[in-house]
Amino acid sequence: MASPAPLATDRRSDTERDLPGRTDPLTAQLSEVVGGPVGRRALVGRARFFTPLRVVLLLAVVFLGLGWSTKAACIQQAPNGPGGVLGLDWSGSRQYTALCYSDTVPLYGAERLDEGAFPYKKSWEETTPDGAVQQRYMEYPVLAGLYQYAAMNVAKAWHATPWLPGALQVVLYFNVVAFGLALAWLVTIWSTAVLAGRRIWDAALVAASPLVVVHAFTNFDPLATAFAGAGLLAWARKRPVLAGVLLGLGGATKLYPLMLLGPLLVLCLRAGRMRDWFRLAAAAAAAWLAVNLPLALAFPSGWREFFRLNSSRGADPDSVYNVISSFTGWHGFDGQLARGENPLILNTVSLLLFAAVCVGIGYVALTAARRPRVAQLCFLLVAGFLLTNKVWSPQYSLWLVPLAVLALPHRRLLLAWMTIDALVWVPRMYYYLGVGNKGLPEQWFTATVVVRDLAVLVLCAVVIRQIYRPELDLVRARGVDDPVGGVLDGADDAQPAWLPRRLRPAGRPVAWSTSRIPVG
């Protein structure tokens, strides 16, 4: 019989592509709904339209639609203004009881976007909980702030166009923001699917993650995950300058993409590829400066607001420090702060703990018998940052989703963590509702935070175990080294001579070409 298309080659062929219906028990069980796992005689890799990538993106659109629906209750309108003027219907604390809260809705007024104000230039006075008056500016990094400004202008133009469907400006603003965030998340999924290589179906975990339903539109973090994913993809394709530019732009949106330079540093050091890393770092610094410097010079006070706010804020409700306070009554490292005083001890402790995490990850990367994969170290670093930081906003968990899928493609384990993490949203909202308003006590919420943190720690432990026992790593089956590695993929170790013996692989280093892992 003639094939409808040329035989697939490379990772799309039956012998190369991972088929989860055959190799993963959970997927095999779920596939029974649509007829069971792909047959042994099926022709794989010849679809003209429904390729794995397109199927995964279509799945993502469905889950992004579900994510929008979870926020839709918070953009309902009602004639609750003077004279029956339409306004947002948040009566009865709807934003908490309907679990629909999104930062983008209140920020439209809080950041003075409703006035058409340019971020970082516009300032306003705000009364702090202790009664002081604080001059405030846009509190987000530059690209996140400019994205809000651009979305505001689109929403205002929409509102002023009579032949378009009408709504409150804030409702239009939310939908414009959500559309851009959805596109950014699709970029995240696309980059993850390409980076997954022969395990492209692992990207379905990113597309169908419960965290997408809950947090895709909670804040602006999909913008950062898109830059981070595209940056890693550029690195994987051996384009360090482009990778640096993308990670630098990601760092101008949320700082975490710049953290990915750390794992690449130690891996390049071990492989003797420091020239590529310097090109990467220089491009990242140049891109970050190109975006930040103009606004820093034009509006220095507004530009510094993000850094000032993060320095002055205390432990957030779902940080490990607040969890301890919640159950013990501990008043924190700094005790009761005076007006305008920063939590210096808390800042120092969280910084030192993260530094210890970085040192530990560096030690693992340099001493493991076989060089770890890029995604493994990136996941460990970002997870360590979230666990030790004084702030873990709920949508930050989206940072981990693509990295976890690339680092540890064990579907049951990942779905268990994602479900736990997503469900933390429920007690969080009812804790914010307040006990006096039939909400939950704080400990109900912080107890679920403990469970989430333990789940992330389990993932970290499994990743570390697979670093030291690479034969357990599903990604490295069939002789694959590191799909995200770029210049590191397949490279032998070439540590510099000055590196101490204790920071070298224990025993004889295992080269990727001599440690091919059979498919189980």
Side-chain angles (χ1 to χ4, degrees), residues 450-493:
V450 172
V451 177
R452 178 205 63 190
D453 289 354
L454 290 174
V456 174
L457 285 171
V458 168
L459 295 183
C460 293
V462 176
V463 169
I464 293 173
R465 181 170 182 258
Q466 292 189 359
I467 288 175
Y468 282 106
R469 294 188 60 187
E471 69 275 8
L472 302 177
D473 188 351
L474 296 178
V475 175
R476 281 182 156 160
R478 300 187 185 276
V480 173
D481 182 34
D482 187 355
V484 191
V487 297
L488 302 169
D489 185 29
D492 292 326
D493 287 342

Side-chain angles (χ1 to χ4, degrees), residues 118-120 138-146 245-255 258 283-307:
F118 183 76
Y120 315 106
M138 167 66 72
E139 65 186 57
Y140 284 85
V142 169
L143 283 187
L146 294 180
V245 169
L246 292 168
L247 292 179
L249 294 176
T253 307
K254 294 273 184 173
L255 288 181
L258 288 176
W288 188 88
L289 284 172
V291 172
N292 281 269
L293 195 56
L295 288 175
L297 294 176
F299 315 112
S301 296
W303 178 80
R304 285 195 300 267
E305 180 73 355
F306 168 74
F307 301 97

Side-chain angles (χ1 to χ4, degrees), residues 115-138:
E115 302 175 10
F118 183 76
Y120 315 106
K121 179 181 180 181
K122 174 71 176 182
S123 66
W124 61 92
E125 291 185 346
E126 192 173 276
T127 303
T128 60
D130 59 6
V133 176
Q134 175 72 52
Q135 189 173 27
R136 292 293 312 278
Y137 298 86
M138 167 66 72

Side-chain angles (χ1 to χ4, degrees), residues 20-37 412:
R22 297 180 185 173
T23 61
D24 180 68
L26 175 63
T27 308
Q29 294 174 14
L30 292 175
S31 68
E32 295 295 338
V33 179
V34 291
R412 289 185 178 182

Side-chain angles (χ1 to χ4, degrees), residues 250-275:
T253 307
K254 294 273 184 173
L255 288 181
Y256 100 90
L258 288 176
M259 297 180 195
L260 306 185
L261 298 176
L264 291 171
L265 169 62
V266 291
L267 292 175
C268 286
L269 179 66
R270 174 165 173 166
R273 300 282 184 166
M274 289 304 297
R275 181 180 178 183

